[in-house]
Each structure stands twice: as structure tokens, then as C-alpha cells.
Amino acid sequence: MRLPFLFVLLTVMIDAMGIGLVLPIMPELIVEVQGGTLAGAAVWGGVLSTAFAAMQFVFGPILGNLSDAYGRRAVLLVSLFVMSLDYVVMALAGSIWLLLVGRIVGGVTAATHATAAAFMADVSKPAEKAANFGLLGAAFGVGFVLGPVIGGLLSEYGTRAPFWAAAALSLVTFAIGLFVMPETVTDKTRRAFNLRRANPINSLRAIAGLPGIRPMLWVYFLYSISIYVYPAIWAYFTTERFGWSPQMIGLSLGVYGIGMAAVQGGLIRPATRYLGERGTIIYGMVIEIISFAILAFLTSGLIALLMIPLTALGAVVTPALQAMMSKATPDSQQGELQGVLTSLHALSMVISPLLMTSVFAQFARPDTGLYLPGAPFLLAMVLMVVGFAAFLKAKPKKV
């Protein structure tokens, strides 16, 4: 299973790269095809980002359910092939509407994280699930870091160069998958596809109806909203509070991404071995709560930089949560579960930036009654505490 593992991890990495690849070139690209000012480009950039996240929210459960019915191999390979074509369309796009269509299709094809996680659940023994979900998180973290870096480097060759490179990488990965990816859904675990059940709301109801899963979904959702405070306001917060340059901000985010990938790819295995999944989640959430409390009132940029490895230690929570929920879900619903988690993750990516930036704007204004640029971290801390309390009461049952 080594080659299929590598193929699935590479697929997840490419999905994550798709999120950040366009960030460095998007302002220039939008002005290029649309004209107008940078401010107008920012508005369209927000529309494109929201469309991408919205498609992940809608199609995470659909692809997860399709993989339960037709297999992980088919869903992953078709998505990669369509993704490569989508990047070609983006590279050739001459209008903002074609770019929008490209990001919509890209959001659909990038929703395969659910299918990749279902594959890991299929091939993992119960004791290995947290570690293998951690590898997926590490692959996502690496892709999230590499995406903006590659996009920025290739932008030297024009605004379309990153799309051509991504198309080639997706196509090569598709070709590799044709030869190495086995099918892990058997007749015993196969479940007929039902479009009505595959929509996000009905999938959520189906998974939430499993014993002990509902509170765990709330924990996952609250944790996701809280943790997205970093990409949502980090650039604004560090500029306002510490006067950091864009290069320094990029470096700090890169260090965080690498730290998160290292934790999910390496630390999760010994953590779950010695603490168990429940203990690992408690440890990770406590780390996050403490980090948020410190960052809210921090005034030293040096200490903030030194704290990044500490904050990354909390990244063990997501794979441990996934493992606990996977063990409480029947084999025939693994894809559906991961699709629901993908939807909740995408929804948090929509909600958190709107919420956190609004709080930052309120408390960082020159005329504010209480100047506290770190206020979003306090909000994240409160949400994390609520999620922590919900987790302590949750008792999912293994199937």
C-alpha cells in the first residue's frame, strides 16, 4: 500500500496547493482581465475565494457519497483529470466570468479531501487511523505552504504560468494514479448513491444521527472556526501590532505551515500512542486556548515569532478528532462522514474570515473605545473553550 498512500497524499497536497497557488498572482490577473483598480480586484478576489469554498461545502458530501457507491479510485482519478483541464481553462481565461467558472470547478475537484480521508479509513487499522489522518493533514499543510511559494516564483514568467504548472502536476499525478491506485470499497462496504442524501444538510443529518457523533461534529466545527483566526487576521494583526513587512508575514505563515505539517505528520503518532485520542485532543485544545490568550495581549513581535512552534503543537486535534469519529462510523458511511467534515471545514473557511476581520476592524480603529488588535484571538479562545467543554461531555461509541 506504500505507492497508493503516496498517491493519495500527493492528491491532497495538490488540492491544498490549489487554494494558495493563485493568491500571489490573483490581484494582477484580475486587473489584467477585468481592468479597473486594485480595490475592485480585491472585491472580485473575495468573490472567487468564496465561490471556491462554497463549492467545497456543497460537493464534499457528494463526492464522499459517490466514493462510497462507486469507489475511491474512480472519484480521485476523475477529479484529478478534470482539475488538470480546469487549470488549463484558468490559464487561457480572458474574462472574469471564465475565471469565476474556473474557481467554481476548482472548488468541486478540490473537495476530494473527503474521498482521500475515506481511503485512509478503509486501509487503516483502528489504532492507525489518527496517525494516517495526520499524514493527510501534513500533506495538506505542505501544499498550503508550497502553493503561494510556487505561485509567487512562477509569477515571474507571467500571471498564467502557475496554472500551466498546476495543470501539468495534476495530469502527472492522474497518470500515476492510473497504475498504482487500487479500489478499497468492496461489495460488502459499498452503499448505493442517493442524491437527496448526498446534499450537505441531509448528509449532516445522517452522520449526526449516529450514536455520540453530533457533539463531536460541533467540536470539529468550533475548532475549525477558531483555528482559522490565523490565516484570517494574521497579516492585519502583525502589521498593526508589530509593524511587520509582507516578507516577515509570509515567513511567519510559512513557519506555521511547516510546523503544523510536522506535528500532524510526526507528533500525532506518539501522542495518540501515549495519551490516546481523547487525551491528545484535550492536550491540543488546551495548547490552543493558552496560545490564543497570550496572542490577544501580546505586544512583542519577537515573542510572537517564537510562539509559532508552540501554537503549531495544537494541530494534533484535527486528525485525532477524525479518528474518533471514523471509529464510531460504519464502514459503509466512511466517505459520507469525511464529506460532512469537508463541508464543515469549508463552511468555517467562509465564516471565520468574515467574523474575525470584523472583530479586528472594530478593535483596531483609531477611534475605538478599546484598542485591542488581538481581540479576534479572544473570540477564538471563547469558541475553543465552548468546543472543549462540548468535547469533555461527548461519548462517541465505536462500531
Side-chain angles (χ1 to χ4, degrees):
M1 278 294 177
R2 182 175 296 274
L3 287 177
F5 258 66
L6 293 176
F7 164 72
V8 170
L9 293 176
L10 184 58
T11 300
V12 170
M13 187 182 76
I14 292 173
D15 288 348
M17 285 175 59
I19 299 172
L21 185 77
V22 301
L23 293 179
I25 52 93
M26 194 55 77
E28 186 178 346
L29 178 61
I30 293 174
V31 171
E32 179 184 309
V33 301
Q34 178 77 358
T37 64
L38 189 62
V43 173
W44 271 109
V47 171
L48 296 178
S49 297
T50 301
F52 187 92
M55 290 303 101
Q56 288 199 308
F57 169 73
V58 172
F59 280 87
I62 293 176
L63 295 188
N65 275 272
L66 283 170
S67 76
D68 281 340
Y70 301 107
R72 321 301 184 203
R73 173 186 164 88
V75 171
L76 289 175
L77 290 178
V78 170
S79 295
L80 275 169
F81 185 72
V82 174
M83 182 183 292
S84 65
L85 296 180
D86 180 62
Y87 279 126
V88 171
V89 171
M90 295 278 284
L92 298 173
S95 73
I96 193 67
W97 299 108
L98 201 51
L99 286 178
L100 178 58
V101 170
R103 288 311 274 172
I104 288 172
V105 175
V108 175
T109 57
T112 50
H113 191 98
T115 306
F119 166 82
M120 287 298 190
D122 292 341
V123 301
S124 302
K125 297 176 182 177
E128 299 172 340
K129 286 192 174 185
N132 288 338
F133 286 139
L135 290 175
L136 285 181
F140 187 90
V142 170
F144 199 77
V145 172
L146 287 179
V149 172
I150 293 174
L153 291 174
L154 292 178
S155 65
E156 295 293 322
Y157 302 97
T159 56
R160 311 306 175 110
F163 296 117
W164 288 115
L169 183 58
S170 300
L171 199 57
V172 168
T173 306
F174 165 78
I176 293 172
L178 278 177
F179 295 99
V180 306
M181 182 66 181
E183 184 49 68
T184 57
V185 174
T186 64
D187 291 339
K188 182 180 177 181
T189 60
R190 196 179 305 276
R191 182 172 54 84
F193 180 75
N194 185 317
L195 182 58
R196 182 177 179 183
R197 180 164 167 171
N199 77 63
I201 303 302
N202 288 337
S203 285
L204 179 59
R205 286 174 179 165
I207 293 299
L210 297 173
I213 289 289
R214 186 185 299 272
M216 298 291 287
L217 292 174
W218 275 110
V219 173
Y220 184 88
F221 184 51
L222 290 171
Y223 178 83
S224 297
I225 293 176
S226 300
I227 207 69
Y228 263 95
V229 69
Y230 290 114
I233 63 104
W234 188 253
Y236 307 100
F237 168 73
T238 53
T239 299
E240 176 69 22
R241 188 57 115 174
F242 312 131
W244 282 3
S245 66
Q247 291 78 15
M248 189 64 181
I249 294 168
L251 173 65
S252 64
L253 286 172
V255 170
Y256 179 78
I258 293 170
M260 186 177 71
V263 167
Q264 292 192 335
L267 183 61
I268 184 66
R269 194 178 296 272
T272 53
R273 184 185 304 127
Y274 293 110
L275 300 176
E277 285 148 10
R278 187 173 181 83
T280 298
I281 293 168
I282 291 173
Y283 143 80
M285 295 186 85
V286 168
I287 289 289
E288 297 290 6
I289 290 169
I290 294 172
S291 299
F292 289 150
I294 295 173
L295 286 169
F297 300 100
L298 196 62
T299 57
S300 169
L302 177 60
I303 295 177
L305 198 59
L306 294 174
M307 274 189 63
I308 290 176
L310 172 65
T311 60
L313 291 176
V316 294
V317 173
T318 300
L321 271 173
Q322 280 182 284
M324 286 190 73
M325 286 187 276
S326 177
K327 291 178 181 179
T329 303
D331 290 342
S332 62
Q333 291 181 262
Q334 290 295 325
E336 186 172 38
L337 167 67
Q338 301 304 332
V340 166
L341 296 183
T342 297
S343 280
L344 292 178
H345 184 77
L347 188 59
S348 70
M349 290 174 65
V350 174
I351 293 174
S352 190
L354 296 173
L355 186 62
M356 299 303 178
T357 53
S358 297
V359 172
F360 175 83
Q362 178 63 36
F363 287 91
R365 291 182 306 160
D367 60 343
T368 185
L370 175 62
Y371 179 75
L372 187 63
F377 292 111
L378 283 183
L379 175 59
M381 183 190 74
V382 170
L383 293 174
M384 188 72 73
V385 168
V386 173
F388 183 67
F391 175 74
L392 293 179
K393 294 182 179 181
K395 291 182 171 61
K397 299 178 181 179
K398 297 180 182 179
V399 295

